[in-house]
Amino acid sequence: MTRILMLFIAVALIAGLPAESGFAQTSAPAFDVEEASRAYINTLQGEELEKSNNYFEGGYWLILWGALIGVLVDLIILQSRFSARFRDWAERVTQRQWMQPALYTLPYVIAGFLLTLPWTIYTGFFREQQYGLMSLDFGSWFGEQVIGLVISLVIFPLLIMAIFAVIRRAPKTWWIWGTGVVSIFLFIGMMLGPVFISPLFNEYNEMAEGPMRDKIVAMAAEYDIPADHIYVFDQSKQHKRISANVSGIGPTIRISLNDNLLERTDPDEVAAVMGHELGHYVLGHIWRTIVILALIIGIGLFVVAWLAPRLIERHGSRWGIRNMSDPAVIPLLSLILTAYFFAATPALNSLVRITESDADRFGLDTAREPDGFAKVAMRLSEYRKIEPGPVEEMLFFDHPSGATRVRMAMQWKADNVENPQMLNPGKLEQE
């Protein structure tokens, strides 16, 4: 179930749009949207195109295998009766029923971490290193995994304690109140994450004074976005991907750019990225995300509330599970939610992709840098397939594809720029 919590946090902390390089301008008698788009899309060719496609298409299988491994790990914990032993240990430690679920989660989270560690090492380190997307050595990478584990050991017991309090008090409608509990945790995570969690992985410093900062401040001021603090964080130590975000809620709202964005891109690209990120804030995507996730989680908890008692009735004695309020049921709940979220992946991807597309349109209107936006879209080809088929994009892409974004930018250019010029972007740097 830790994996489900991390999914919530990962989706909740809305990521930014990446960026890089320069090109020469040439005049053209007429501006053709498709021709202008192909000029960008065709900059990715040969080995680089094959590498990008292989990496991203391989991720399709990771979705399946990751779900299967998650289900298998929870089955092992159930079938071996480790879950019942974790429960028995919690009951020996304290007689307070409200604390027992929180104590149970400590060995459960650690066991899940250890059992999935070989898969995590392959997908999170060796595969990333194989495709040139990892800057950390193994020791540094593993250190970050341990930090993530410690965070889970703090947050997850609190979440589980709250959910089981609801199960005990409202055994028939707990899934409704449980949805509210998870939504509150999402809200708190979005508000406090930028201040207390993000700095555990990266160092944040004020952006230096200069024309680029002035541009960002002016863009933020146009929409009354607090811009007293604009931070640059050292994500180049982990990878070379470009990103930025407007994160936090209320007093914790902050604008952050990673150092890759400033070091690998031109000012028009930075402006395009920040226009997109400001769009998430202005369009209320944080609140939309909370509402949509609450609905999706609510359906998932309803499925759990319907299915879990039936499985307990059939297999509970073999697993050592007494009833739904028994902490030993946690792996069963996690197993059902893992299968549910796997089945819901296309819907989740589409919901996020629609939100990102809205922010793209806002960013184009705000930054008015269609060619900077197109160059940024091409940067994503380092780790995202540039031109998928429509069904493929619907099923597997949680952001619009690079080709979709480039065409959007060129169409915006045709519609909003007086006498738009055809540009030859040349080869964008990929190192």
Side-chain angles (χ1 to χ4, degrees):
M1 200 154 176
T2 307
R3 295 178 297 280
I4 302 302
L5 174 64
M6 290 301 103
L7 172 64
F8 294 166
I9 294 174
V11 176
L13 299 176
I14 303 174
L17 173 70
E20 177 197 98
S21 186
F23 44 63
Q25 178 171 321
T26 60
S27 61
F31 186 82
D32 182 272
V33 170
E34 183 58 27
E35 184 179 346
S37 300
R38 295 263 31 125
Y40 279 101
I41 296 168
N42 290 342
T43 59
L44 187 66
Q45 297 287 340
E47 291 184 5
E48 290 179 348
L49 176 61
E50 183 179 4
K51 180 180 177 182
S52 170
N53 289 346
N54 288 342
Y55 174 77
F56 197 75
E57 290 169 1
Y60 304 163
W61 289 103
L62 295 187
I63 297 171
L64 172 62
W65 289 112
L68 290 175
I69 288 172
V71 168
L72 178 62
V73 165
D74 283 320
L75 276 176
I76 290 173
I77 294 175
L78 286 171
Q79 296 280 25
S80 64
R81 295 180 69 90
F82 273 118
S83 186
R85 293 174 190 173
F86 297 159
R87 185 264 327 280
D88 294 342
W89 170 79
E91 290 178 345
R92 288 195 300 271
V93 171
T94 181
Q95 298 299 312
R96 294 183 176 90
Q97 192 177 22
W98 62 272
M99 280 197 64
Q100 290 167 359
L103 285 174
Y104 169 96
T105 60
L106 300 179
Y108 171 69
V109 168
I110 293 171
F113 176 83
L114 294 175
L115 288 170
T116 59
L117 188 58
W119 174 252
T120 304
I121 291 173
Y122 167 68
T123 58
F125 181 77
F126 285 113
R127 186 171 186 267
E128 296 296 297
Q129 194 177 59
Q130 175 187 353
Y131 283 93
L133 298 173
M134 173 62 62
S135 300
L136 296 171
D137 59 30
F138 182 79
S140 300
W141 174 84
F142 188 74
E144 292 194 350
Q145 302 307 303
V146 173
I147 293 173
L149 172 63
V150 172
I151 293 171
S152 296
L153 290 172
V154 173
I155 297 176
F156 199 57
L158 297 175
L159 174 63
I160 290 300
M161 185 169 60
I163 289 178
F164 271 78
V166 168
I167 292 176
R168 289 194 302 272
R169 286 167 174 74
K172 294 188 181 299
T173 59
W174 70 265
W175 61 274
I176 299 175
W177 306 108
T179 301
V181 167
V182 175
S183 299
I184 292 171
F185 271 77
L186 277 174
F187 175 84
I188 294 173
M190 289 182 181
M191 182 171 64
L192 300 183
V195 178
F196 295 105
I197 295 181
S198 296
L200 297 176
F201 298 93
N202 295 98
E203 182 178 347
Y204 286 72
N205 294 299
E206 283 281 352
M207 184 179 184
E209 297 291 339
M212 195 67 254
R213 182 186 177 106
D214 293 342
K215 172 74 170 177
I216 295 171
V217 169
M219 292 169 63
E222 186 177 354
Y223 297 98
D224 297 322
I225 300 174
D228 296 333
H229 299 288
I230 302 176
Y231 295 97
V232 177
F233 58 104
D234 59 340
Q235 203 161 46
S236 60
K237 74 176 186 180
Q238 289 138 343
H239 54 72
K240 63 180 183 179
R241 298 175 183 179
I242 294 160
S243 70
N245 60 75
V246 178
S247 57
I249 296 175
T252 66
I253 292 172
R254 55 176 55 191
I255 298 172
S256 304
L257 306 79
N258 75 1
D259 53 354
N260 295 324
L261 177 61
L262 296 179
E263 293 170 6
R264 296 186 58 201
T265 66
D266 293 333
D268 62 336
E269 298 173 79
V270 177
V273 170
M274 294 315 303
H276 169 96
E277 294 305 330
L278 295 175
H280 282 307
Y281 177 87
V282 174
L283 298 174
H285 287 169
I286 290 177
W287 301 107
R288 184 194 298 182
T289 297
I290 292 175
V291 171
I292 291 175
L293 278 178
L295 291 173
I296 293 171
I297 292 165
I299 295 171
L301 293 182
F302 171 78
V303 172
V304 169
W306 177 81
L307 185 57
R310 289 162 173 78
L311 292 174
I312 293 172
E313 185 177 355
R314 176 174 293 188
H315 304 289
S317 59
R318 185 167 74 249
W319 294 334
I321 300 175
R322 300 163 185 159
N323 49 52
M324 277 294 294
S325 62
D326 180 359
V329 79
I330 288 174
L332 178 60
L333 308 188
S334 175
L335 185 157
I336 296 170
L337 285 175
T338 297
Y340 166 75
F341 278 107
F342 170 74
T345 295
L348 285 167
N349 285 345
S350 294
L351 290 169
V352 176
R353 192 174 60 253
I354 291 169
T355 296
E356 294 296 329
S357 186
D358 289 344
D360 287 348
R361 282 187 285 272
F362 182 94
L364 285 165
D365 289 336
T366 301
R368 302 188 67 82
E369 295 286 359
D371 289 290
F373 186 91
K375 286 189 288 180
V376 167
M378 293 305 300
R379 307 296 178 204
L380 295 173
S381 66
E382 293 176 350
Y383 58 93
R384 187 172 295 160
K385 187 174 182 178
I386 194 67
E387 196 169 16
V391 174
E392 185 180 11
E393 185 165 356
M394 179 191 70
L395 292 176
F396 297 110
F397 279 66
D398 59 0
H399 286 61
S401 68
T404 296
R405 282 174 151 166
V406 168
R407 290 189 174 97
M408 177 187 288
M410 293 301 100
Q411 185 63 59
W412 187 95
K413 185 176 181 179
D415 295 339
N416 295 276
V417 175
E418 186 176 357
N419 298 320
Q421 302 297 305
M422 298 286 293
L423 300 181
N424 177 14
K427 180 176 173 57
L428 299 177
E429 169 268 330
Q430 294 289 328
E431 297 301 324

